[in-house]
Amino acid sequence: MGKASPDVSPRRLSVPLPGRRIRQILCLLPLLLVSVVAVRHRSVLAEGFGHLESAEWPWLLVAVCATCLTWVAAACTRQGAVVERLPKRRLLATQFAAGAANHLLPTGLGASAVNLRFMTVCGVPLARSSAALALYLLAESVGRLGLLAVLLLAFPDALSVGSLLPEAAVGALLPALGAVLIVAAGVLVLVRRVRTAVTAFLRTALGELREVHTRPSRALALWGGSLAFPALQAAGLAAVGQALGLPVPPLHMAVAYLAATVAVALVPTPGGIGSVEAALVMALVAAGGPAAVATAVVLAYRIITVWLPLLPGALTLGALVRLKVI
């Protein structure tokens, strides 16, 4: 009789692989960050929800719809910034998740990291993904500034810009910006490796820009989305203002929103939490609104646009990480 053959069947390791463990941690990290941010701002949350209870609900529904459409506008702009066709449903889900990431990390970094990873997973090379990201940021900035300029030309008395940007703040900001530009120029001139990397990136970005604009559908998505995004955000604030009876014309509220968000663009706080609220209140007061009502409008608006989507956005972010979409 022959000897029994030894058991050579493979056995699964009971200990998860390091990569799997890291992915599990990344899935839970957004929920942890949401909890920390919510606890830190619990008084603001309580006051904001209190104002929502006394608001006119039809206008609040308009604000909610405008907020939901901002994710569609962001998805259009992201698609317009890259030549490859991105999967529509995953792209939209990624924008929803990126919004949550943007409110948990310094402004712009969360959404940029999520979208950069998404494009890379979709097969877009890293260099071209970075170029598409830069093109998106450029288009969004041009759209916001262009919309603000048009509204200021149409309504020059919509708000007092001097009260939104005091002379002392401008006097401190300009030298700081000048110093940053001088340091950046010095690094480019003196450090060859940095100069080579920047030159290569600009070459790739310009090539991506030309390629995108040879396709009318991509150009329309890029610039249409970049204009629709800030317009929908401003419409949401105007709807909340109507809901709470703020005595400021809706278009003036839109001007105030755009001016405030441009003013705080250089403040690196998570999602603009704190800085955006302060700037929005100042802008609405500069537009002619009472300070108490303006504060109530801003708190209610941030509840709708930041706090209500934050938990489902974090859950979506965790799910996308788990499913390896990002």
Side-chain angles (χ1 to χ4, degrees), residues 10-11 30 37 53 96 105 136 170-171 196 207 228 241 306:
R11 297 179 181 179
V37 173
E53 292 178 357
F96 182 50
L105 295 173
Y136 170 87
V170 176
T196 302
V306 176

Side-chain angles (χ1 to χ4, degrees), residues 51-64 235-248 250 253 293 296-297 300-301 304:
H51 292 307
L52 287 177
E53 292 178 357
S54 61
E56 297 182 13
W57 283 98
W59 284 111
L60 292 183
L61 291 177
V62 173
V64 170
L237 179 66
V240 175
Q242 294 293 105
L244 291 175
L246 183 68
V248 176
M253 280 189 269
V293 183
V297 168
Y301 173 73
I304 292 174

Side-chain angles (χ1 to χ4, degrees), residues 131-151:
L133 181 62
L135 180 56
Y136 170 87
L137 295 175
L138 175 63
E140 203 276 334
S141 300
V142 170
R144 188 176 298 270
L145 289 171
L147 189 59
L148 175 61
V150 170
L151 289 177

